[in-house]
Each structure stands twice: as structure tokens, then as C-alpha cells.
Amino acid sequence: MLIIPAIDLKGGQCVRLKQGLMDEVTVFSDFPGEQAAHWLKLGARRLHVIDLDGAFAGKPKNEKAIKEILEALDGEIPVQLGGGIRDFDTIEHCLDNGISYVIIGTAAVKNPGFLRDACCAFPGRIIVGLDAKDGKIAVDGWSKLTGHDVIDLAKKCEDYGVESIIYTDIGRDGMLSGINFDATLKLARALRIPVIASGGLSGMEDIKKLCEAESEGISGVIAGRAIYEGTLDFEKAQAEAIRMAGTLK
């Protein structure tokens, strides 16, 4: 089970939002590179980076901060990046600069042909982020709800060849109210590709529950506000995930 620290970027700072609302922001660091190095030192095996400004603008906006993160990590662990990645040039630019996986969100919903072609052009490097509320997909930085059903869209993404799905319950994101475990598990059982849980991670009980479902297809979880505010100790959570992996084999 991958426990993946999140770094959300807004105006060059590391922040967290509540329910994706840009005016509900908490700043945790002014130094993205230092924050990335911190998680690397604590044993992170992957980093999740979101350009929040890019998600709303439709194109990357925090390139300086992203460069600082990549320089701090120096290729030691993979980085998955999302936020405003909506064309081939942007994907290529990200991958050439050291990003391991690009996360496509809004474009996967609005332009499925683009997603299919991206999976063909960059096999194994495309993750789709499906952000939902009450089972319906949200787009444009979570500012608009669509009528698309999560599982139906995820199956189409799977057919296109995406590497994995990040499923975020935006009603819980940043709220420390617990992962929407039932919805995440239902999605994982409907797919053959891995699902990464996101939104609302609050403590060790969430970690244990997700680890128990790893064999069902939940391969990781995004850790945001919980590890920044201390309701979840990242090192202890990772140690527990490793312990449970050995126990459940």
C-alpha cells in the first residue's frame, strides 16, 4: 500500500484546501522543495503534486515550484503531477522534466479522444483523476459537477489504457472526515487497474481499512491535511502498511 504525501501548490506555496474551495486555503510551507525533501527523508515512496492554479486556469502555473520539488528529490522517488494538463505538449514537457506520471482530470471527461491518444503515446505514464461528489464527476478544479457516473467513466478510462485511477471524494477532501471507503472499494472491484484513494484521510484506522482491501485493487492513498496537521503520523502509517502487507500475504 502506497501512502503518498500530497503537495498542493497555489501561488508557489504548499497549501491545503477544504472541499477544493480556493478561498478555504491553509498555507503549510513557502518552500515546496524543502517540503518534498521532508517527505523523502521520512521514507515516502512516491509524491503527489497538484498545481491548483493550473487546474483552474487550464494550464500549468507553478512551474518554478514544481522544478524545486524535482530538484530536491533528485529522481529518488517518482512524482505524479496533476492540474491543468490538457494537451500533448504539456504532457511531453512534464515527462521530459522528470515527472513520472501525469494526472489527467478534466480533459479525461471533456475530451476522451485526447485521453485515449495520450495513453497510446505515453504508455504507463497516464493516471486519471476522477473527482466526484455523490457519485457524479466534477471538473474544472471541482468547480462544476457533471452528470457522468464514476464507475462508467472509470471503465472507459481503463479501456483506453490508463495506468491507474485516483478517486477523490471532494465532499470529504481536506475535512479529515475519513476516506469514502465504500465508494472507493466499489470502484476498485469494478476495475482491473489499480485505484488510489483520496479525500478525507484522517488517521490510522483509515490506513488499516485500506490495507485490508489492497487485494481488492486499492493500491495506495493520498495523504494531505492529516499528515500536515498531525492527525496521522506518516512514518507510523507507512510502518503499519508494511507490517500489514506482510501479515496479509
Side-chain angles (χ1 to χ4, degrees):
M1 175 68 59
L2 280 172
I3 302 172
I4 311 171
I7 295 181
D8 288 357
L9 300 170
K10 184 177 185 294
Q13 298 174 308
C14 302
V15 307
R16 296 302 297 168
L17 306 183
K18 288 185 177 180
Q19 297 181 323
L21 300 172
M22 289 293 264
D23 56 354
E24 290 280 350
V25 62
T26 304
V27 177
F28 286 102
S29 174
D30 292 322
F31 305 102
E34 289 183 9
Q35 191 63 65
H38 170 73
W39 297 125
L40 176 64
K41 184 178 179 181
L42 292 185
R45 291 174 290 159
R46 186 186 293 194
L47 203 63
H48 176 79
V49 179
I50 296 295
D51 183 341
L52 293 171
D53 300 304
F56 281 87
K59 59 183 179 180
K61 290 289 186 179
N62 282 281
E63 290 204 57
K64 181 175 180 289
I66 293 165
K67 183 179 179 183
E68 290 172 7
I69 289 169
L70 290 169
E71 287 176 350
L73 297 176
D74 195 27
E76 291 196 46
I77 59 173
V79 175
Q80 55 191 46
L81 173 69
I85 299 175
R86 299 178 191 176
D87 59 61
F88 273 76
D89 288 343
T90 302
I91 294 175
E92 198 159 27
H93 178 71
C94 291
L95 297 178
D96 286 347
N97 285 338
I99 296 297
S100 299
Y101 306 98
V102 297
I103 303 165
I104 297 177
T106 293
V109 181
K110 292 187 171 182
N111 191 354
F114 162 68
L115 175 63
R116 182 184 60 244
D117 293 345
C119 289
C120 290
F122 309 101
R125 310 293 291 275
I126 306 297
I127 295 173
V128 163
L130 296 182
D131 308 321
K133 188 173 184 179
D134 300 325
K136 299 299 180 183
I137 297 291
V139 296
D140 295 333
W142 301 356
S143 62
K144 300 172 186 173
L145 274 178
T146 73
H148 292 283
D149 178 78
V150 171
I151 291 178
D152 289 345
L153 186 56
K155 286 182 175 179
K156 290 178 182 176
C157 294
E158 178 179 66
D159 290 342
Y160 294 152
V162 304
E163 194 275 337
S164 56
I165 299 283
I166 298 173
Y167 173 66
T168 303
D169 184 323
I170 64 176
R172 299 186 183 219
D173 191 71
M175 302 301 289
L176 300 175
S177 56
I179 289 285
N180 188 337
F181 180 77
D182 291 342
T184 306
L185 182 59
K186 183 179 179 182
L187 178 62
R189 285 173 170 168
L191 302 174
R192 299 181 303 277
I193 57 174
V195 172
I196 298 171
S198 175
L201 180 68
S202 60
M204 197 67 82
E205 285 307 308
D206 280 332
I207 297 297
K208 291 177 179 178
K209 209 169 182 181
L210 290 166
C211 286
E212 288 170 356
E214 189 169 7
S215 63
E216 302 269 15
I218 301 176
S219 66
V221 59
I222 308 296
R225 187 175 289 271
I227 57 173
Y228 285 97
E229 294 193 349
T231 65
L232 179 70
D233 183 305
F234 177 74
E235 284 186 289
K236 288 181 179 178
Q238 187 149 260
E240 178 65 10
I242 292 169
R243 185 194 70 78
M244 288 190 70
T247 302
L248 296 170
K249 279 183 179 177

